[in-house]
Amino acid sequence: METITIYIGGAAHTMPYEAPRVLAAFLEPYGFPMPCGGAHTCGKCRVTAYGALSPLSETEKRLLTVDEQLSNVRLACCAQALGGCTIHARAPENARVETAGLSAQRSDASPFGTQGYAFAVDIGTTTAAVYLVDLTRARPAEAASALNAQASYGADVIARIARCAESGVRPLQEAILGQLDGLFTVLLKRSGLDARVVRGVVLTGNTTMLHLAAGLDPAGIAAAPYTPQSLFGVMESARRLFAALPPDVPVYFAPCAGAYIGGDLICALLAAAPQENELLMDIGTNGELALITGTGILCCSTAAGPAFEGAGLSHGMVAADGAITDVSMTGKGAVCTVAGGGAARGLCGTGAISALAALLGCGAVDETGLLDEQYHEAFPLMDGVALTQADIRQLQLAKAAVAAGVDSMLQAAGLAPPDLRALLLAGGFGSRIDVRSAASIGLIPPVCAPCARACGNAAGAGACLIASSQSALDDAERLAKRAQVLDLTESAFFSDRFIEQMLFPLF
Ligand code: FES
């Protein structure tokens, strides 16, 4: 019998060969990331494989270097197993999850009672974070995170919605729910607890992530008039969702305000509690913005893409050990800070912004984003990790989308950047970012740098608040109803500003 052997995450898995299939199909159950969802465009699903395989495709010849082609490197979404073969794949890496600063601030009872524990979950497009909340103390006791297991279906919400159109919602729902079951089990075990102590679950995330968790078709989110099936704010039971929990455990889906204003932004608003003329920026694969005006809450969302999460960059990685997090320039070249010390393995989103700011500062990149030709399309940073011209273009697009979103919000509110009293940066990426670097590349208005501050994973903090306080749950539902969504898809002002924001600031 011919077999397929997969080496991933330090473990070997063997299965019988049955029929020709792309290598990605064998790697899917292990959460192997497929940033473009198998669209043959990103070239980041590299594996090493040998045995009975299809010949190199035109895409592989285009996206792999000659050295890689000679070293059995293949693209998992292109190469097919035609018989027995062996695949070596890199395990998905988990970003760090912050628990510092996550404490409930309300004194009333939890919607799940006053005893036991609850799980608060922030399903990010890139990372899923789970917090175990002690209801007697109303605070998170433990936390764990993992790269969203749906990564193998695409890096952003549009790619995942496209996969649902092809193969239904079920595989994506099973991927995330199975992963959360695993994280619940890990946290309970780590705390010496039994699943019977769990009294409730709060799920937050963008509107698409909540659709996928609930098993709802998200197709309406991807095309005009952008109509989701649900804006949630509903209580379900664990029965049809989580095998690791008792079936009668209530599961609350955080309320959303629109197709692209999700429960994550509402939870972030709840936790960060911005005041009038304060802007909350939750920057991840989507840039979600909320501005408190004299009359209400103005929200918008811009498609930043995965570059800020490190997912779309040539040497991109999540903010884990081995990631370059900070770059400064000396006369001898780049000086890099690496998470965890040791050798550099890649560049996370904050490191990429820091590197770009440093290159703009020393003139190696000009205001149009062009890397000086002496660097031959890639500026070397450390240990073979580089920032390439293509990476700079990706960051430029992401920066322009977010900055044009900020401009549009301010224009709609009749404000100018100096009018902002505070700029709150939320999300795993937003809260780690160096404010000066963000201002240097124009991601935030430079004039706002002195009033910018990080507020941690505010979406996760908001979910913890809801898990521990009925009044917080009520406030979240009120916030979702009050939020006024600014639609940028048809906005000529946004389009104009987007083009202008493609230029980097000159200092
Ligand atoms: S090229 Fe294979 S996932 Fe993008």
Side-chain angles (χ1 to χ4, degrees):
M1 182 180 65
E2 293 186 286
T3 56
I4 309 278
T5 305
I6 297 170
Y7 292 92
I8 186 166
H13 310 268
T14 304
M15 61 203 74
Y17 169 79
E18 284 164 358
R21 291 170 81 193
V22 285
L23 303 188
F26 300 105
L27 296 168
E28 247 175 41
Y30 308 104
F32 179 70
M34 304 276 289
C36 71
H40 303 176
T41 53
C42 71
K44 299 204 69 169
C45 57
R46 285 170 164 81
V47 295
T48 304
Y50 43 88
L53 297 168
S54 58
L56 280 170
S57 65
E58 288 307 315
T59 303
E60 289 175 295
K61 287 180 191 162
R62 182 166 46 84
L63 294 176
L64 297 175
T65 65
V66 174
D67 276 357
E68 286 174 326
Q69 292 175 29
L70 294 173
S71 311
N72 296 325
V73 175
R74 302 297 303 262
L75 294 182
C77 68
C78 295
Q80 281 207 335
L82 304 175
C85 62
T86 301
I87 309 166
H88 292 263
R90 226 167 112 169
E93 287 158 303
N94 294 336
R96 290 190 180 133
V97 59
E98 307 285 345
T99 51
L102 285 181
S103 62
Q105 303 139 4
R106 311 271 178 128
S107 54
D108 62 318
S110 154
F112 307 125
T114 52
Q115 300 289 317
Y117 291 79
F119 283 116
V121 182
D122 175 22
I123 311 174
T125 309
T126 304
T127 303
V130 179
Y131 306 89
L132 178 65
V133 181
D134 181 345
L135 297 180
T136 53
R137 296 180 179 186
R139 69 164 58 145
E142 284 279 359
S145 77
L147 194 69
N148 187 323
Q150 296 166 344
S152 53
Y153 298 99
D156 57 33
V157 295
I158 298 302
R160 295 201 198 149
I161 293 172
R163 280 302 290 269
C164 290
E166 281 169 24
S167 30
V169 182
R170 194 79 189 143
L172 286 87
Q173 185 192 25
E174 282 174 358
I176 188 63
L177 295 185
Q179 178 172 42
L180 294 181
D181 265 333
L183 290 170
F184 293 161
T185 305
V186 164
L187 285 180
L188 288 170
K189 203 168 164 193
R190 206 189 281 169
S191 309
L193 298 170
D194 183 275
R196 282 171 297 189
V197 302
V198 179
R199 298 285 180 264
V201 178
V202 175
L203 297 181
T204 193
N206 64 49
T207 312
T208 301
M209 291 304 112
L210 292 184
H211 272 65
L212 299 181
L216 297 177
D217 182 358
I221 295 173
Y226 309 105
T227 312
Q229 285 210 29
S230 173
L231 290 177
F232 301 99
V234 292
M235 199 73 84
E236 292 218 20
S237 79
R239 191 176 316 276
R240 69 171 196 91
L241 298 170
F242 298 115
L245 301 180
D248 56 347
V249 167
V251 178
Y252 180 71
F253 284 73
C256 304
Y260 290 96
I261 302 298
D264 49 358
L265 187 66
I266 299 301
C267 285
L269 275 167
L270 185 69
Q275 305 297 303
E276 187 175 337
N277 286 6
E278 294 187 353
L279 177 68
L280 174 70
M281 299 175 71
D282 192 345
I283 307 169
T285 310
N286 273 338
E288 293 182 347
L289 313 176
L291 175 65
I292 309 302
T293 68
T295 53
I297 307 167
L298 198 56
C299 300
C300 76
S301 173
T302 63
F308 288 150
E309 309 233 1
L313 307 175
S314 331
H315 295 92
M317 65 178 286
V318 294
D321 284 352
I324 294 176
T325 56
D326 187 67
V327 178
S328 56
M329 215 55 76
T330 69
K332 292 181 182 164
V335 176
C336 302
T337 304
V338 179
R345 293 192 295 120
L347 194 57
C348 65
T350 49
I353 287 188
S354 176
L356 179 54
L359 295 183
L360 283 163
C362 72
V365 170
D366 70 14
E367 65 168 336
T368 70
L370 191 66
L371 182 63
D372 194 310
E373 60 186 16
Q374 67 172 298
Y375 300 111
H376 305 292
E377 301 276 312
F379 188 93
L381 295 171
M382 184 179 177
D383 298 333
V385 176
L387 187 73
T388 68
Q389 180 66 70
D391 296 338
I392 294 167
R393 293 299 179 210
Q394 291 231 39
L395 291 165
Q396 195 172 12
L397 286 167
K399 167 263 180 190
V402 174
V406 172
D407 290 344
S408 302
M409 296 276 279
L410 292 175
Q411 193 246 6
L415 298 174
D419 298 326
L420 284 179
R421 296 194 350 219
L423 206 157
L424 309 176
L425 297 165
F429 162 77
S431 58
R432 281 190 298 268
I433 196 173
D434 172 53
V435 168
R436 279 192 320 180
S437 297
S440 298
I441 72 163
L443 177 61
I444 62 172
V447 70
C448 296
C451 71
R453 65 175 191 270
C455 57
N457 180 8
C464 291
L465 262 178
I466 293 174
S468 56
S469 159
Q470 178 65 49
S471 69
L473 186 154
D474 296 338
D475 285 349
E477 298 195 346
R478 270 193 289 271
L479 283 169
K481 287 199 179 84
R482 280 182 62 209
Q484 185 193 339
V485 180
L486 182 65
D487 181 6
L488 302 179
T489 51
E490 305 277 307
S491 165
F493 180 83
F494 174 79
S495 304
D496 290 347
R497 291 302 298 153
F498 180 81
I499 292 165
E500 287 165 34
Q501 288 286 5
M502 285 293 284
L503 289 178
F504 291 113
L506 285 177
F507 292 96

